[in-house]
Amino acid sequence: GARALGERLLLLDIDLVALRELTPVCERSAPFVGWRPRMPWGSTLRYGGGLYLLTAGARPHVWYRFEGQSSIDLARRKGFRGSDQAWISYALGPDEDAWPSDAGIYSIRDLRNGKLPLPRDARLVQFNGPQKPWNTQLKWAREAWR
């Protein structure tokens, strides 16, 4: 995979809006860097499944130990919610590197689904939930997503 995709990979879900230069997001050097959403949702030690940075081949146990629904069920029994994010959070554990709160990464839920103004430092906004950047009424999101 590293030969085809490159040594360092940044995964962004399609419902994530990039608003500013992403270089600062990519400058972390840890083998895996996760995003911990600000809003509580299940375990506070979770990683959001829509954004992470990794070195190709890092943390192979996350993929090799995954056994479909039974792995998701195990992660949920341990207090994690969701599907991919539940398993990733459970399999990685609490000690992975994560972007700090001042990295400019937000969930649309942090903005009360667009009722709060866009923070000045917003670099990335994840549209986790039913509102998506391709059908939102938020002008800044529609323009940036294009």
Side-chain angles (χ1 to χ4, degrees):
R3 283 190 295 261
L5 299 172
E7 186 67 25
R8 203 74 172 135
L9 308 168
L10 176 67
L11 174 118
L12 302 171
D13 270 2
I14 196 165
D15 61 356
L16 199 144
V17 174
L19 298 161
R20 295 171 59 203
E21 172 65 41
L22 297 182
T23 300
V25 171
C26 298
E27 290 177 335
R28 307 290 296 228
S29 62
F32 176 90
V33 183
W35 172 54
R36 288 210 165 106
R38 300 161 193 257
M39 297 284 291
W41 187 62
S43 173
T44 57
L45 300 177
R46 71 185 170 104
Y47 301 98
L51 170 64
Y52 51 91
L53 175 69
L54 72 150
T55 300
R59 310 303 184 260
H61 68 281
V62 173
W63 317 112
Y64 297 140
R65 288 180 31 212
F66 182 71
E67 296 180 4
Q69 190 63 47
S70 63
S71 295
I72 294 167
D73 293 343
L74 171 63
R76 287 178 178 168
R77 284 193 303 273
K78 297 296 184 177
F80 296 100
R81 290 183 55 191
S83 54
D84 57 337
Q85 64 270 26
W87 173 251
I88 291 168
S89 298
Y90 171 76
L92 288 173
D95 298 326
E96 294 291 343
D97 194 29
W99 284 284
S101 61
D102 65 355
I105 303 170
Y106 294 89
S107 163
I108 191 65
R109 294 175 183 202
D110 297 329
L111 310 178
R112 291 186 47 217
N113 293 317
K115 291 183 177 113
L116 296 178
L118 185 65
R120 293 173 61 99
D121 71 337
R123 187 171 301 281
L124 293 164
V125 178
Q126 172 73 55
F127 277 72
N128 45 341
Q131 182 178 196
K132 298 299 179 189
W134 53 86
N135 66 14
T136 185
Q137 297 303 308
L138 299 171
K139 184 179 178 185
W140 61 262
R142 282 194 325 269
E143 290 175 358
W145 191 76
R146 277 185 225 174

